[in-house]
Structures are given as C-alpha cells and as structure tokens.
Amino acid sequence: MLTMPGSPDPCVIVIFGASGDLVARKLIPALYEMAACNALPEQTRVLGVSRTEMTDEAWRERLQPWVKEHAARFDESTWARFATRLHYLSGSAADADIYPGLTERITSLSNGAKSGGNILFYLSVAPSLYEAIVERIGESGLVTEGRKWCSIDRDNVPWQRIVIEKPFGHDVESASRLNLALGRVFEEDAIYRIDHYLGKEIVQSLLVFRFANTIFEPLWNHRYIDHVQITAAETLGVGHRAAYYDGVGAIRDMIQSHLLQVLALVAMEPPTTFAAHHIRQEKIKVIDAIEPTPIDRLHEFAALGQYAPDEHEPAYHLSDGVPHDTTTETFAALAFRFDNWRWADTPFYLRTGKRMASKRTQIVIQFKQPPVQLIRHLHQLEVGPTPPGNQIVIEIAPRGGVSLRFQGKVPGSGVRLDTVAMDFDYADRFQAEPIESYGPLLIDAMRGDQTLFPHRYEVEGTWRAVAPFLGEESATIRRAIHANYEPASWGPAAADVLLQRNGRTWVNG
Ligand code: BG6
C-alpha cells in the first residue's frame, strides 16, 4: 500500500491448497480482517481448492475457530456475512481433470457476484507442485489477458493474476526455472511473489522514514554508518515442521526472502518516484551490488548453529523426522558487503534463529564513533568501555517503533555519559491495531500494485547472494553444528566471534 491507493478490483480469489495450515492461520483471517474494515470489495468471492472432500459449509465451519483465534477482532455477524463469500471445490490442482469444473465454478461465482471476471490465483501448495499447477492453469484457458497486455484497453478487460508463496525455488536455478514457467503463462506484471515481511507496517514505513525526511538520508552511508544489523529471532523451535524444515534451514527459510528484502529497503538508493517499478528497480540494483562471498573464507562471513535440548524440546538434530546427522542450520548469522559507492566497507549482518532468547525482529543502524573521544580526553576518563556509537533501532516485532540512541550527560558534577533514547512507538502514536500483513498485500494484488512484491530479478539475486552458504563448500561452516547453542540464548559463540573479529558486538535489546 505504498503507492497512491487505487481501489481494489473485485475478483474471485482461487486458493489452491485450501485445507492447509497457512490458509487457516493467515490467509482467511487476513481476508476476514479486510472484509471487516470494508477494504475487501463486496463482490469478491473466495474459492478454496484442495484434495480433501468438503462442502462449502464444512470448509466455513472448519475455518471459523481459526479466524476467531487469529483475526485482530472477531464478531459473529461480520463472520456470518463474510462466510457466505467462502466456497470450496475438492480436487487436485495439479490434475488437468479438475479444470473444466473449476472454470465453471469460477464463472458462476463471478457472474453471481458480478465480480467482473477477474481471477486472483493463490498458490498455497507444496512448492514441488508450483510448476505443474501453473502449467495446468495455462492449458485451461483461464488466463486470457496475459499476452495481450500492451495492446488493449485494460479497463474493460478482466484480469488474471497469480500470488505465489515462498519458498520461491530452492536455489538460483530452480527459482529461475520457476520464473520461466510462470512467464509462459503470466506476464511479469501479473505475478505476485508474496513475502509477508513486506506487508508489515513498520517494514513499509522504512521507505517513508528514509525518503520523507531530510535528517536521516545525508547520514545513510559508509561515511557515518559503521555497520547494519538485521535480526529476526524467534523463541519457538521447529516443532511439528521439523521434517519439512530440515530440507530448508534458516538461510532459505528466513534470510533469502524476508531478511534480504529488509536489507534491500535499508540499502537501496532513493527511487525516482514511489511507483512500483521505480522502487523495484532500486531494490534490484542494490541486491545486484552484494559482493559475492569468497567460498574459501566462508567462516569470516557466516556462523551457523542448531539448538541444544532443554526440558521442552529435544536437540534439533534429535527431533522427529530429522536425520540425526543433519547439518541443517536453525540459526544463521551472515555478513554481506556491497560493491557500491554508498556502502563501501559497511557490512550488513543478518541473523535469524529458532529457540532464541526472545521474539525480536529489528534493524540496528550502528553509527561510527566520533573521530576523537573528546570528552574522555578532556576529563581523562580512562575507565569503562567506550560508549556505543549512535544507533537507530527500527523495531519490527514485538512492537513497531523507532528509537534513536545517543550519549547524554548524567546529571551531577563531572562528566559521566550514559546512553539515552528518543522513542517513537507506532501503536501508541497511531492507535493502530496490528493486523495480519497478508491482508493489505492481497488488497494490493487486487489493485494491481506490485510495490511490495519482489520482482523475479530480486528473487534470483537474493538466491545468488546466499548460494555460497548453501553449497557443498558450506560443509566447512557446518562442522560441529549439533547443539552448538542453548535454547533461550542469542545463538552460538561463533556468531559473536563473527562481529568481534571487527571489534563489533550484536545489539540484542
Ligand atoms: C516464515 C517462516 O516465513 O516466517 C517461519 O517460514 C517463521 O519459519 C516466520 O517462523 C516468521 O514470521 P514472523 O512474521 O513471525 O517474524
């Protein structure tokens, strides 16, 4: 919702994988929230597709408790109205046989609701099915707009768009194969690769923070900034997802997508305008400027870990469904450098992990020290550590907010320094209730606004950036990974060493 809001077009949202966890926990509660605040056009209908045999009514009943639990606010009468817009079709989306029935159902819902023939496909299925489903959609004839994109008057022509969940590929090759498969059916303008981090209010406000103010941008470069830390720490373990997670790991699950997207927003140049293509162009450029990591020096750029056991959960490598010799990381701290003018010699440290000390997602902009420690010299204050340089801490979770931390004088005789902060709390200031970030993103897709959806080159670029940490050579940084960090800690000792090597420390609060 960064660009000027046009209104969303009504459509039929076809959700493949409708009986899955994500749909119940996130998508439907998000759509409900959008309906509750009148952001979802009245004529929009949702058609869930999945192999489980179910009636419309059974699907609605199954979803209701999830919406009650996960939506910001629940109200029986709003739900009753919303539920009549939920429909269900059983069948396998990868199977060509269901498409005649699916087409008929979409047409009848669209005609009944007068939603104008627009279709928003949503792939919430196992990634291994993506290509097959996209191909089936192509063969079905449901996508009529794509190729004629430039030559027609768009206003009177129904559109078809597709939203795809992460993981978007497994590496550079699979991501670009998937992009090609999508491109055979949909124009790039109709492809919405969803990353729920970009739907978080405070992540979106990063661009406003940087580019609607004048006081930060002159400092936003290697001359003043020593380094940047981006952390997404979680307290939960992998739990019942262990078998799936083991094929993925923290780098694929969090860094390639969420954290590198945040990095792009922090590091990009000012866009020409706030239009989607201008913002995406700048993100592509800065992702392309990430220096390739030398594979013979991976340990200087990465620290990986797996959590140890405690009374609540076994050690990761002993979890059910995980091979006991697994080297998949549940924690990763990676250092990235840019080969560009703005960020020369300013590393960006990205860190994420399961079972850590607290649920905390934040960006720390760490400024350099003053050129001379004048106050210390003046007063011959030789004791105590050097005070930390100035910091801007942009907190994404648990609260949204920005804090500017700097040195102040402790009252009293003599000069004693302490860190003080100027704080902005998003919820307090705007009385804003946190909403599920999928909602605004889906509305954006219905408005045809791709600002908050990564372009194919961003996805391929971020896969390239993490590739050295995932390939065979990464065996060197996966040695002795088992149980190398305690639950409720900030990760393995190697993560501290990664920063200490350059005289830096992690900011955990
Ligand atoms: C998902 C990952 O994309 O993001 C999960 O697959 C992770 O493993 C989740 O827990 C974290 O999201 P958030 O919004 O809670 O930080």
Side-chain angles (χ1 to χ4, degrees), residues 166 196-197 200 234 241 253-254 258 354 359 361:
K166 72 173 252 289
H196 79 275
Y197 263 54
K200 291 180 190 272
E234 298 183 83
R241 288 170 81 213
D253 189 41
M254 294 291 290
H258 307 322
K354 302 283 184 195
K359 167 88 185 162
T361 310

Side-chain angles (χ1 to χ4, degrees), residues 22 26 165-167 195-197 200 232-234 236-238 241 244-245 248 252-254 257-258 352 354 359-361 396-397 436-438:
L22 180 89
K26 302 271 186 190
E165 265 302 326
K166 72 173 252 289
D195 183 317
H196 79 275
Y197 263 54
K200 291 180 190 272
E234 298 183 83
L236 296 178
V238 293
R241 288 170 81 213
Y244 157 79
Y245 188 89
V248 181
R252 288 190 171 93
D253 189 41
M254 294 291 290
S257 49
H258 307 322
T352 186
K354 302 283 184 195
K359 167 88 185 162
R360 194 166 189 90
T361 310
I396 300 167
E436 179 47 65
S437 56
Y438 278 89

Side-chain angles (χ1 to χ4, degrees), residues 118-134:
N118 302 318
I119 310 172
L120 186 66
F121 295 103
Y122 196 113
L123 294 195
S124 180
V125 295
S128 55
L129 296 174
Y130 286 172
E131 286 184 46
I133 296 178
V134 170

Side-chain angles (χ1 to χ4, degrees), residues 6 13 20 55 94 334 349 394 467 479:
I13 304 176
T55 60
L334 306 182
Y349 298 103
I394 301 168
R479 278 190 209 122

